[in-house]
Amino acid sequence: MSSTPLRLGSVAPNFDADTTAGPINFHEFIGDKWVVLFSHPEDYTPVCTTELGAFAKLEPEFSKRGVKLIGLSANTVESHGGWIKDIAEVTGGNVTFPIIGDKERKVALLYDMIDHQDATNVDSKGIAFTIRSVFFIDPSKKIRTILSYPASTGRNASEVLRIIDSLQTGDKYRITTPINWVPGDDVIVAPPVSNEEAKKLFPDFRIVKPYLRFTPLPKDKIGA
């Protein structure tokens, strides 16, 4: 298990694992890219099937942003292979990104993905399944965002993409993103940026309150 709690800014723990794309070392897999690691309770389950299909369809959008996807499910790589065929049949999404085989929950325990809330979310041996965790990891291998959903609730793949856009854009332009922001909406000038700097960086910025300053940011400037 991870010796310290995983928090925003923690280095993503490294591991070796078998995947549907062959064996990997996770840090080598990350390389110089952003990575979204997301977990699933079990193969051949209804919510997971819809999720993987959605991520597969959005993978080209993640690739445009320099982001690699990698899934995890508490089953074997061999089981994953058959499940991927079902996912394509049901959703039309062709999963080409790797899915980690984690039957023994080694990676799930390392990343604290285990379900402690729902006592019924267990396998035939009574071992707790993984919850629906999402880890956003940057090229320096630091965890930038963590999302956790119960097994009963499917994720929003578009929200995962939106968070990537927010993180990458914030890193590049010294801005933050307001509630319900989507690319093309106004952004917030980051608090450490003085008004004098803001005039140079964002000529069209406006002051709503001394602590709240908005500026337009065209869609073509969004991302890494």
Side-chain angles (χ1 to χ4, degrees):
M1 294 179 66
S2 179
S3 57
T4 57
L6 296 181
R7 298 192 173 102
L8 303 190
S10 297
V11 173
N14 196 21
F15 58 85
D16 296 301
D18 290 327
T19 79
T20 51
I24 66 159
N25 173 276
F26 189 51
H27 279 191
E28 290 178 3
F29 174 80
I30 294 170
D32 61 355
K33 302 290 187 181
W34 286 75
V35 167
V36 173
L37 166 65
F38 54 100
S39 61
H40 296 273
E42 176 69 299
D43 293 1
Y44 298 103
T45 49
V47 177
C48 300
T49 299
T50 64
E51 287 189 326
L52 277 168
F55 279 116
K57 290 177 181 178
L58 274 177
E59 186 178 17
E61 290 299 320
F62 285 100
S63 295
K64 286 179 190 176
R65 293 156 171 81
V67 180
K68 293 180 177 179
L69 298 176
I70 183 165
L72 175 148
S73 184
N75 216 307
T76 64
V77 168
E78 291 73 25
S79 174
H80 296 349
W83 184 33
I84 285 171
K85 295 176 183 177
D86 277 9
I87 292 165
E89 178 186 342
V90 172
T91 70
N94 294 307
V95 176
T96 58
F97 52 80
I99 305 176
I100 296 164
D102 198 32
K103 182 72 173 175
E104 303 302 319
R105 318 287 200 274
K106 291 180 180 178
V107 179
L109 286 166
L110 183 65
Y111 277 76
D112 196 21
M113 299 173 177
I114 298 299
D115 194 342
H116 295 285
Q117 174 179 264
D118 182 0
T120 68
N121 189 32
V122 296
D123 66 11
S124 58
K125 295 181 180 179
I127 302 173
F129 281 129
T130 54
I131 56 174
R132 302 183 193 285
S133 295
V134 191
F135 290 86
F136 297 70
I137 301 164
D138 70 18
S140 67
K141 300 176 179 60
K142 289 185 178 177
I143 297 170
R144 298 291 297 277
T145 302
I146 302 172
L147 303 176
S148 295
Y149 297 73
S152 60
T153 302
R155 286 164 281 213
N156 185 321
S158 296
E159 171 66 358
V160 174
L161 192 64
R162 190 189 77 93
I163 291 172
I164 285 288
D165 282 337
S166 174
L167 292 171
Q168 292 184 341
T169 304
D171 285 358
K172 188 174 182 179
Y173 290 107
R174 299 174 71 191
I175 57 89
T176 61
T177 56
I179 181 74
N180 296 330
W181 173 86
V182 293
D185 289 352
D186 286 358
V187 296
I188 296 171
V189 179
V193 178
S194 69
N195 285 339
E196 289 69 30
E197 284 184 284
K199 288 175 185 176
K200 298 174 183 177
L201 295 171
F202 314 107
D204 298 322
F205 90 102
R206 68 188 190 278
I207 300 172
V208 177
K209 292 286 184 181
Y211 56 85
L212 180 58
R213 299 164 297 168
F214 286 99
T215 185
L217 195 67
K219 273 189 177 182
D220 60 7
K221 289 189 176 182
I222 302 303

